[in-house]
Amino acid sequence: MKSLKTSFTTLILFAITSTIHFANTTDSLKQKLSETFNPVERGELMYELGNHFLRVDMNRALDYAEDGIMLYKENKDLKLLGQLYHLKGNILLLKGQTLKARSAYFEAIQSFRKTHNRELEVRSLTNLCQVYQIEKDYDKALIEYDKAIENVKDLSIDVQNELLPHLLLNKGTLYDAINEYENAIHLFNEVIRMCTSESQQIMKGKALHNLSNQYANQKRYVDAQEVLDASYKIKQALGDTRGEINSLLAFAHIASQQGFINKAETFYITALHKGETLKSPVDIKNVYNSLYLLFEKIDTKKAFYYFREFKKVSDDLLKQEYSKSITDLEEDQQEVLENIELVHEKEEQEKITWLLSCIFIGIILFILMILRVQRLRAINAQQNEEKATIAKELAIVEHQFTQEQNNALQSQVEFKDKELTTNIMHLMQQNELINKVSEDLLQIDTSLDASNKKKIRGIVYNLQNANQGEVWKELEYRFEQVHSAFFDNLNKKHPTLSPNEKKLCAYLKLNLSTKDISNITHQSVKSIQIARYRLRKKLEITNTDIDFQTFFDSIVDSE
C-alpha cells in the first residue's frame, strides 16, 4: 500500500505538471484575481491558484477549485469545468477523502466526454482507478485499469508513451496488493522495458524499486539487491535525494531480513544523513523510527536512543504543523478582508461604470457628427474616385491600342522574316541548279577542243556571276526590313569590316551553314571557312565560347 501511495502521488504531480505551466507567483495570481470581474478570467485564475496551492496548502487549493467550479457551471465551459473537477478529485484524494474524490472524477469524466477530449478523460479515469485501489475495491479497480489501458491505446504515440507506463506501474501495485506477485513482476518488468527515454527515468527507477520489493518478499535477495542497486543509480543520476532515501531504506530492509544488522544500520544512517541534507523532517522521522524497530529486540540502549530522536523530530513536526495552522488562519482572515474589500471595489466599479456609460453616450453623439462629416467627404471622394476610374479605363484603352499596334508590327516583321527566308531558299535552289549545270558543262569540257572549251568556261563564268550584284542588293534590302539597325550597329562596333565581311555577317545572322553560303556566293566551302575564321578575329571572339549566332543576337538586342 505504501508503494501504491507513492506511485499515485507521482501520477498526480505528473498529471498536474503536464497540463499547467506556472508563469506567475501566488501573489501575482491573487492580485490578478482581485482586479478582474470577468467570470471566465476569474475561473481560470482560480484554476491556476488551485494547482499552485495543491503543493503547499490543500485546503486553500480546494477552496479555489470549488469556487472555480461554481463559476464555470454558470458559463458552461465544459473543458475547464472538467479540469477543475479533476483538480478537486486530486486534492480530495490526497486528503484521504476517497468517496468525494470519486464523485469529482466522475464529474470530470462526464465533462471531458461531452467535449470529446479522450486524453483528459483517460487521465481522470486513471485517477479513478487509484480511488478504487485505495478503497480496496480491487475487482473494480482491475476492470477500470483495463478500460484505461485500452483507451490509451487509441491516443497518439506520445500520449501512450506518457501514460501507459504509469497505468502499468499502478496496476502492478494492485497485483502486489492482491498477492498476485508473478503478475506484478511481469508488469514491473514491462514498465522497465518501456521506459527508454530520459524523461521516463524516474518512472523506471520506481518500477525497479517495486520489482526489488517483490524479489525481497520472495526471499530472492540477490535479485532484489541487483535490481534495487539499478534503481538507486538512476535516482543518484537524477539528483532525486528523496528517492535515494527510499532506496536506502529498502537496502536496509533487505539486509535486516538476511540478519545483517550492522549493514542495515549503515544503510539507515546514510539515509539519515541524506534526509538531514534535504532538510526533510518527515524522512528523518521515518529513518529514526526504522532504526528503533531494528534494535527494539536486540539492543535496548540503541533502541531507546533512536526512539528518543524519533520523538524529538515528531514533536518538532507537530510544532511546525501548529505554527502553519496559525499562519493559515491568519491568511484566511486576510483573504476574508480582501473579499470584503473586493465587494467595496465592485460597488465603486459600478458607479464608475454608470459614469462611463454617460460619457460613452456623449462620445457616441460626437462620433455620429463626425460620421456625418466623413460621409460627405466620402461622397466627394467617391466622385473623385469615379473620375480616376474613367481616366484609368482610358489609359487601359490606350494601352490596348498601343499593344495592338505593336502586335501588328510584330506580325509584319514576322511576315517579312518569312519572306526573306523564302527568297534565300529560292536563291539557294537557283544557285544549286547553276552549280549543277556548271559542273555538267565542265565535265563536257574535257572532251571538247580548245575553242569550245573557252566558250563553255565563259558560259560557266557568266552563270555563276550573272546578277550577283542585283541578288545581293535585293537580299540586303529585305534583310534590313527585318533587322533594320543591324548594319548600323555592326558599323559602330566594327567599322573596319569590308563589304564582303558584312555580307558574310548577314548570312551568318540568318543562321546559314557554310555549305549554304558557298552555294549562294559560288565560293568553295574552304574559302568560306577561311573567311569565317578571319571574321572571328576581326570581331574579337576568337578563343571564346561565343558563337556567331549569339554574337549577332547581341548586336540585334542593342538596337
Side-chain angles (χ1 to χ4, degrees), residues 154-186:
D154 294 333
L155 300 176
S156 66
I157 296 299
D158 290 340
V159 176
Q160 288 185 42
N161 292 337
E162 177 187 339
L163 290 181
L164 198 55
H166 286 274
L167 284 165
L168 295 178
L169 181 64
N170 292 336
K171 189 178 179 182
T173 61
L174 172 60
Y175 280 130
D176 178 34
I178 60 178
N179 301 324
E180 294 188 17
Y181 302 120
E182 292 303 321
N183 286 333
I185 290 172
H186 170 73

Side-chain angles (χ1 to χ4, degrees), residues 377-486:
R377 290 179 180 176
I379 292 172
N380 185 41
Q382 185 178 3
Q383 292 175 348
N384 293 334
E385 186 178 352
E386 289 176 353
K387 292 178 182 178
T389 302
I390 293 171
K392 186 177 180 180
E393 290 176 352
L394 287 173
I396 292 172
V397 171
E398 289 177 357
H399 175 73
Q400 290 176 344
F401 178 75
T402 303
Q403 188 68 31
E404 289 175 358
Q405 283 187 323
N406 290 337
N407 291 339
L409 290 173
Q410 182 65 28
S411 299
Q412 186 177 1
V413 169
E414 290 176 357
F415 173 77
K416 289 181 179 179
D417 188 51
K418 290 179 181 178
E419 188 178 39
L420 175 61
T421 303
T422 303
N423 287 335
I424 290 173
M425 293 299 296
H426 177 71
L427 179 62
M428 288 172 58
Q429 291 173 356
Q430 179 182 332
N431 285 348
E432 283 178 359
L433 178 61
I434 290 172
N435 289 337
K436 181 68 170 61
V437 171
S438 297
E439 288 174 3
D440 292 340
L441 289 173
L442 290 174
Q443 287 179 358
I444 297 172
D445 178 71
T446 57
S447 61
L448 298 176
D449 55 25
S451 175
N452 289 327
K453 282 183 180 181
K454 186 176 181 180
K455 291 179 180 181
I456 291 297
R457 289 176 182 173
I459 292 170
V460 169
Y461 177 81
N462 290 332
L463 282 172
Q464 291 184 344
N465 292 281
N467 299 324
Q468 281 296 311
E470 287 75 14
V471 168
W472 167 247
K473 287 181 180 180
E474 175 66 14
L475 186 62
E476 184 180 26
Y477 171 75
R478 296 187 180 279
F479 183 89
E480 286 185 342
Q481 282 187 320
V482 178
H483 307 289
S484 56
F486 178 80

Side-chain angles (χ1 to χ4, degrees), residues 189 220 317 350 429 481:
N189 279 315
R220 295 166 57 181
L317 281 173
E350 289 176 351
Q429 291 173 356
Q481 282 187 320

Side-chain angles (χ1 to χ4, degrees), residues 191-192 195 200-209 231 234:
V191 173
I192 294 166
C195 294
Q200 294 175 315
Q201 290 305 297
I202 294 176
M203 181 61 56
K204 184 176 181 180
K206 292 184 179 298
L208 287 165
H209 190 102
S231 174
I234 291 174

Side-chain angles (χ1 to χ4, degrees), residues 533-554:
Y533 175 75
R534 290 173 179 171
L535 181 61
R536 286 185 69 88
K537 290 181 68 175
K538 276 199 172 186
L539 296 178
E540 299 177 350
I541 58 174
T542 308
N543 298 326
T544 68
D545 294 330
I546 302 173
D547 57 23
F548 282 115
Q549 194 63 33
T550 303
F551 179 81
F552 292 133
D553 284 344
S554 68

Side-chain angles (χ1 to χ4, degrees), residues 322-337:
Y322 177 73
S323 176
K324 185 176 181 300
S325 298
I326 294 175
T327 303
D328 291 343
L329 286 172
E330 291 175 350
E331 290 179 354
D332 289 341
Q333 185 178 5
Q334 181 64 29
E335 187 174 356
V336 170
L337 293 174

